[in-house]
Amino acid sequence: MIRRSEPLAGRRPRWLPIAVLLGGWIAGVPGARAQAPPGAIEGTVISLPEGVPVPQAAVLLAGTPLRALTDDAGTFRLTQIEPGAYTVRVVAFGHAESQLADVRVTPGEVNHLTIELTQTAVEVPGIVVTASRSGARIGESPASVAVLGSDEILRRNVSTLDEALPFAQGVITNAGQLDIRGASGLSRGVGSRVLVLLDGHRLMKGVGSEADLEIFPLLDVDRVEVLKGPNSSLWGTSAVGGVVNVLTSRPPERPETLFRAYYGAWDTPSQFRFTDEALSSQGLGFQHSRRIGRVGGTLYLGAEGSDGFHQNGGHSRWQARLKTVFPGDSDRPTEAFVNFTRRDKDEFFTWLSEERPLEVDSASVGDWLREDDVVIGVTARPVNNQSMLLQVRPQFAYNKVQNHFHDNQDFHRSSRLAADVQLSMNPSRRQAISTGVEASGTEVRSNFLGEPWIVDLAAYAQDEIEISSRWRGTLGLRLDYHHARSGEPELSPNPKIGLVYRPSAGVGLRTSVSRGYRAPSASEQYTSTTQFGFRVIPNLELMGEHAWAAEVGGTAEIGGWLLLDAALFHSDYTDLIEPAPVPGEFFTFQFRNVADARVSGLDAGAQVGLFDNMLALKANYVFLDTEDKRTGSTLQYRSRHNVTATLEVLRQLLAVDVRYRSTVEEVLAFPLDPREPITVVDLRAAYRIQSWIIMAKVGNLFQNTYVDVQERRPGPTRHFRLTIIPRF
């Protein structure tokens, strides 16, 4: 619901007409040449029934790129609006959407609105930006999207994002590695089929093109958007299986300090005990946000460590993050961040024996590696008017890994310099066009890879058209160019077409066909080493992987207490990269394009909130039907049935989490080892005392002993964790 008051006269800055005329000349739109001065809309967003302000609500002027986020007091302001009648849409996480048509903007004046949102019992996602690079509500995009909000991530009492992501619909983890709808399986350091972003910046490592979800400070995460299926038409290489975009919070208006401290203990089964010492984990994080003048900033410092639940399973991690936003109160700020992570990690390749699964061979005890990551990114918006939004994202990423193993001291370092320029336009109120170019250069130095350099270039465009009030179509195309030194250059066209039908406000039906692409990583193309007596040689003729995918799905929100989403999907993969024997050479391998595959299935999820949120249920199910077209067998490391469920009672005071996956039918090594279904149950409790949150968790409550998908690697034993998050 929106309440309007009479327009109030607004003071117009002297430079505003000049900026509007200049922006209109750049955009080439007739409205910018109009003589009438622009108007503005400002207001407050409140939540019913309490009437409290709603921060971080998205306020959109339909049919234009103009949008704003509400501040801590729930207030917002949209400026540079040409006179006329508009529709204002307001969307916030956990609230039903509110919109008002025919908000009339008069020349040189300000309209004030009071917008009332109704809370929902289920956590209805707000605007998502990953599916279109601009912004859409779930149910309006032809792509399947899942969202994890910051509150859900924190109350799951996890230490890294990869522990929470399996509870996002469609996401599976294999020994800690991301897999969306069965696209990835499992691989170690040789390329991910899931692209990971931080505020739209690519975060794939320069050598292995894999993602590390441990580098994200949990206190600064606003939400995580998961875009499912091949989406290379917008995001390019590595998006062959899906995209995970981690979006961080803007610094609040008032100074805020948060601490996050936790302590945990591992409970080792008596029959597998390998030490008399207590095994524990602990972490401490500090985050401070404030505004100085018009500049907002957030600083995070943290340290974590664990003995691990098995021998040679310890790690330590130090993190620092600085983010600035200028101007902090603008609807088109410039954002910049610096992330630093150092991690020391013991290495556990395989267990000593089935009878002693928590131990390693004595020669491997003490093997460890050190990894350093530095990522610097900027998002600038030099143009943001009623018809056009221009965003520029330069980025620098550095990664260094040094092995300290008993049998090798391998190392690699990579530096990546990249830029992404995106232009979003609204030629009319029924059409939105996103275009852009990307470029990156990666330099690698390594004792087993040599010194290759890699160049990636891309251009993309996507057109979204509102065919009618119920139908919306999407058409996109991206061209990716990949060239590694001494290798074969490759040009990959990646199109997409989609259609959405909205029979009612709470129901959306979607269908799409798209193509995915993943360029070979440096580790796949250039590795020259010997492991376990096998020689691995480079393959400079290695080309990228491709996938064609189609899906039909729908989303329904019913009465604010039930949210349903389901999709049938089918993907065909060609030229998949796998290690394979070199013809004519004994005990010699290289990465080659040797596999074609098919993955079909069902991806379904439901959220239910009952009795004023005293009882809440969230459940996800992924059914996979896979085939290796070479052999006719199922694909490796895929489970046919994958289930996650969370039951919360007494308004999230107590919760039970369940993860189930059926037996993995095919593995790469040790196929004769016994394999069984995996069921893990966690018990959680959370309590708020004013601005403090106290949480307790028992992971693997019933002490299930299992192999964590990868052969001869045990899953975590029962563990206890107590976490305290005070806010000042």
Side-chain angles (χ1 to χ4, degrees):
M1 181 184 296
I2 302 182
R3 299 198 302 268
R4 284 181 286 185
S5 60
E6 295 300 319
L8 302 175
R11 181 173 296 175
R12 190 170 67 252
R14 296 178 180 177
W15 49 264
L16 189 56
I18 299 175
V20 172
L21 289 174
L22 180 60
W25 176 77
I26 295 173
V29 294
R33 296 189 292 271
Q35 297 299 316
I41 299 175
E42 65 179 24
T44 304
V45 180
I46 60 176
S47 176
L48 297 180
E50 291 86 354
V52 296
V54 181
Q56 300 292 310
V59 183
L60 303 91
L61 201 64
T64 79
L66 293 179
R67 64 191 57 206
L69 289 177
T70 56
D71 59 18
D72 295 348
T75 62
F76 68 91
R77 183 179 177 87
L78 293 168
T79 60
Q80 299 185 26
I81 306 174
E82 295 175 14
Y86 296 90
T87 297
V88 175
R89 300 180 61 192
V90 184
V91 182
F93 198 88
H95 291 77
E97 179 182 352
S98 183
Q99 63 179 358
L100 177 65
D102 197 24
V103 176
R104 187 159 296 278
V105 175
T106 53
E109 296 188 344
V110 179
N111 285 66
H112 185 82
L113 307 176
T114 300
I115 304 169
E116 299 172 341
L117 299 182
T118 303
Q119 289 186 9
T120 56
V122 294
E123 295 181 328
V124 178
I127 293 294
V128 295
V129 299
T130 313
S132 63
R133 277 188 176 255
S134 55
R137 188 83 187 263
I138 286 184
E140 296 178 350
S141 169
S144 292
V145 184
V147 179
L148 287 181
S150 58
D151 286 346
E152 179 180 355
I153 293 171
L154 287 180
R155 69 174 182 262
R156 288 196 178 279
N157 200 355
V158 298
S159 58
T160 57
L161 275 181
D162 61 296
E163 297 177 45
L165 276 172
F167 294 92
Q169 182 186 335
V171 178
I172 304 166
T173 56
N174 298 323
Q177 297 184 25
L178 278 180
D179 181 12
I180 296 178
R181 291 181 172 175
S184 299
L186 185 145
S187 61
R188 288 177 59 88
V190 292
S192 172
R193 296 187 184 119
V194 177
L195 173 64
V196 175
L197 308 170
L198 175 60
D199 289 326
H201 290 264
R202 184 179 294 266
L203 281 192
M204 311 303 285
K205 296 184 184 295
V207 170
S209 293
E210 78 273 22
D212 184 359
L213 294 173
E214 295 183 5
I215 71 173
F216 300 104
L218 297 181
L219 293 179
D220 196 35
V221 174
D222 175 64
R223 67 187 187 277
V224 179
E225 297 179 0
V226 179
L227 182 59
K228 294 176 278 188
N231 281 279
S232 295
S233 62
L234 277 179
W235 296 104
T237 180
S238 295
V240 70
V243 181
V244 173
N245 193 3
V246 181
L247 298 160
T248 60
S249 304
R250 281 197 184 182
E253 215 172 1
R254 299 176 181 176
E256 179 183 74
T257 300
L258 290 88
F259 289 92
R260 180 176 178 272
Y262 72 86
Y263 179 83
W266 297 100
D267 180 17
T268 306
S270 58
Q271 68 271 31
F272 301 138
R273 189 175 300 278
F274 60 92
T275 178
D276 293 330
E277 298 181 3
L279 302 176
S280 64
S281 61
Q282 53 278 322
L284 179 64
F286 161 83
Q287 181 170 293
H288 180 72
S289 303
R290 68 182 306 117
R291 290 187 183 177
I292 302 176
R294 300 190 68 193
V295 179
T298 297
L299 173 66
Y300 174 86
L301 300 172
E304 299 179 73
S306 174
D307 298 318
F309 63 91
H310 53 62
Q311 192 177 37
N312 235 48
H315 77 269
S316 59
R317 183 170 60 246
W318 298 266
Q319 292 178 284
R321 171 176 166 83
L322 176 63
K323 177 181 178 179
T324 62
V325 178
F326 174 82
D329 55 356
S330 171
D331 58 355
R332 53 181 186 276
T334 296
E335 303 173 2
F337 68 87
V338 179
N339 278 23
F340 168 78
T341 304
R342 165 167 284 185
R343 180 175 60 177
D344 291 344
K345 183 177 182 298
D346 293 343
E347 192 59 60
F348 185 104
F349 283 109
T350 184
W351 66 33
L352 181 61
S353 67
E354 186 176 358
E355 293 74 26
R356 300 166 68 181
L358 301 182
E359 300 177 57
V360 296
D361 185 271
S362 58
S364 300
V365 175
D367 284 0
W368 66 285
L369 63 83
R370 168 166 290 178
E371 183 170 11
D372 292 326
D373 277 292
V374 178
V375 183
I376 303 172
V378 177
T379 299
R381 301 172 178 88
V383 178
N384 184 14
N385 57 43
Q386 192 167 328
S387 300
M388 180 172 62
L389 170 63
L390 178 64
Q391 299 183 83
V392 182
R393 295 189 184 95
Q395 184 200 84
F396 172 76
Y398 174 78
N399 174 251
K400 175 184 176 183
V401 177
Q402 175 67 63
N403 291 348
H404 297 274
F405 298 164
H406 70 282
D407 55 356
N408 81 72
Q409 300 292 310
D410 286 347
F411 72 91
H412 61 76
R413 305 181 184 92
S414 65
S415 300
R416 182 175 182 269
L417 187 63
D420 174 0
V421 180
Q422 177 185 332
L423 180 64
S424 302
M425 299 175 289
N426 285 75
S428 71
R429 297 193 186 180
R430 289 181 173 268
Q431 186 177 19
I433 299 175
S434 297
T435 64
V437 293
E438 289 186 41
S440 69
T442 304
E443 182 182 42
V444 177
R445 295 177 180 270
S446 171
N447 68 314
F448 64 96
L449 298 169
E451 297 185 2
W453 53 259
I454 301 169
V455 174
D456 288 284
L457 305 173
Y460 60 88
Q462 178 167 287
D463 191 358
E464 299 174 85
I465 302 175
E466 187 178 330
I467 303 169
S468 69
S469 60
R470 297 184 183 273
W471 292 90
R472 189 175 185 88
T474 299
L475 184 65
L477 175 66
R478 175 172 170 133
L479 295 175
D480 279 279
Y481 173 81
H482 175 82
H483 186 207
R485 188 185 68 177
S486 302
E488 293 291 331
E490 183 175 18
L491 181 66
S492 176
N494 303 303
K496 177 177 182 177
I497 184 170
L499 192 64
V500 175
Y501 174 60
R502 302 267 299 178
S504 63
V507 178
L509 305 177
R510 62 185 182 270
T511 184
S512 65
V513 177
S514 60
R515 189 174 193 250
Y517 167 70
R518 182 179 78 86
S521 66
S523 59
E524 291 167 321
Q525 201 160 10
Y526 292 97
T527 294
S528 177
T529 187
T530 299
Q531 291 188 352
F532 308 111
F534 295 95
R535 184 184 173 207
V536 182
I537 64 175
N539 183 2
L540 300 182
E541 297 179 355
L542 193 65
M543 306 299 286
E545 302 176 336
H546 298 89
W548 277 103
E551 76 162 85
V552 177
T555 300
E557 179 190 340
I558 302 173
W561 62 272
L562 176 62
L563 181 64
L564 300 173
D565 183 90
L568 294 169
F569 60 89
H570 175 90
S571 301
D572 279 303
Y573 297 88
T574 58
D575 298 323
L576 294 183
I577 300 171
E578 292 185 0
V582 177
E585 299 188 34
F586 293 105
F587 304 108
T588 302
F589 288 76
Q590 64 181 183
F591 290 96
R592 308 182 68 191
N593 300 105
V594 295
D596 294 340
R598 173 189 59 80
V599 179
S600 303
L602 169 67
D603 171 14
Q607 292 186 51
V608 182
L610 300 172
F611 311 117
D612 194 23
N613 217 25
M614 297 294 286
L615 179 66
L617 173 66
K618 179 178 182 180
N620 301 312
Y621 171 64
V622 178
F623 169 77
L624 296 177
D625 178 24
T626 69
E627 180 188 12
D628 184 332
K629 293 185 177 181
R630 298 170 302 174
T631 64
S633 61
T634 59
L635 293 178
Q636 298 163 352
Y637 303 110
R638 274 76 164 184
S639 295
R640 185 173 292 267
H641 304 283
N642 305 267
V643 179
T644 61
T646 295
L647 177 66
E648 296 178 317
V649 298
L650 303 176
R651 295 180 180 175
Q652 303 160 358
L653 177 65
L654 296 174
V656 176
D657 300 322
V658 179
R659 290 165 287 156
Y660 168 81
R661 60 185 300 168
S662 59
T663 302
V664 173
E665 297 179 27
E666 297 289 337
V667 295
L668 180 62
F670 310 114
L672 299 181
D673 281 7
R675 296 186 295 275
E676 297 179 350
I678 299 173
T679 303
V680 179
V681 178
D682 301 337
L683 178 64
R684 297 186 279 116
Y687 188 70
R688 292 179 181 266
I689 305 176
Q690 296 182 348
S691 60
W692 288 51
I693 304 175
I694 301 175
M695 298 179 291
K697 179 178 181 178
V698 183
N700 195 357
L701 176 66
F702 298 113
Q703 193 65 288
N704 184 24
T705 57
Y706 61 97
V707 174
D708 192 11
V709 182
Q710 186 174 355
E711 308 95 303
R712 303 187 178 183
R713 291 179 64 94
T717 60
R718 183 163 51 210
H719 54 281
F720 308 89
R721 178 180 293 167
L722 177 66
T723 302
I724 301 175
I725 305 178
R727 184 188 303 263
F728 303 98

